[in-house]
Amino acid sequence: MLVLLVIVLTSASFVTKGAIPVDLPKAGESKKAVTEKMKTVVIDESGSFYFDSKRVSFKELKETILKLDPKKDPILIKSDAKSQFQNFIKVIDFLKTKGFEKITIETQKE
């Protein structure tokens, strides 16, 4: 599991922005990514999932993601710093097992 996280973090872009109130984790450096066409997954402090600002269950999130093209559709993940890390891992793990290549993790600059 740790190896998967390292792979994701080294291959993902880090960006700075916000829409749903989420206390993003801090990172030393960040790059801006074009977020206009990205599908957004948000995990709030309580562990609730949102897809493009709509609250969904994890099952509904998976069903919605399965309708996307893993090679073309970019995914932006925003996870509250206080949410359970396991929820973030569940999303990343699902995206990677389905072959998604364009995954961006949003953070705040320290």
Side-chain angles (χ1 to χ4, degrees):
M1 206 48 94
L2 183 58
V3 173
L4 175 65
L5 177 61
V6 170
I7 291 169
V8 168
L9 292 178
T10 57
S11 65
S13 301
F14 290 90
V15 295
T16 311
K17 231 177 182 177
I20 294 176
V22 175
D23 181 20
L24 298 171
K26 308 240 184 305
E29 285 196 31
S30 61
K31 297 178 185 175
K32 287 198 174 193
V34 178
T35 58
E36 300 160 357
K37 298 178 182 178
M38 290 185 162
K39 300 296 182 183
T40 305
V41 175
V42 177
I43 306 166
D44 69 10
E45 183 178 354
S46 68
S48 297
F49 296 97
Y50 296 82
F51 184 81
D52 284 345
S53 301
K54 180 184 174 199
R55 189 174 180 173
V56 294
S57 67
F58 186 65
K59 180 181 177 186
E60 292 169 321
L61 178 65
K62 292 191 301 185
E63 290 169 357
T64 304
I65 288 172
L66 286 174
K67 296 175 185 173
L68 303 175
D69 184 342
K71 303 286 183 199
K72 294 181 181 177
D73 290 323
I75 305 284
L76 173 64
I77 302 174
K78 302 177 187 181
S79 182
D80 192 291
K82 295 175 185 144
S83 68
Q84 289 185 2
F85 189 60
Q86 184 60 39
N87 290 328
F88 173 78
I89 294 298
K90 280 172 41 175
V91 172
I92 291 289
D93 188 45
F94 180 75
L95 291 171
K96 285 298 185 179
T97 58
K98 298 306 175 193
F100 280 84
E101 298 173 353
K102 298 178 180 182
I103 301 170
T104 302
I105 302 166
E106 185 169 315
T107 62
Q108 293 181 47
K109 189 171 183 178
E110 284 188 313

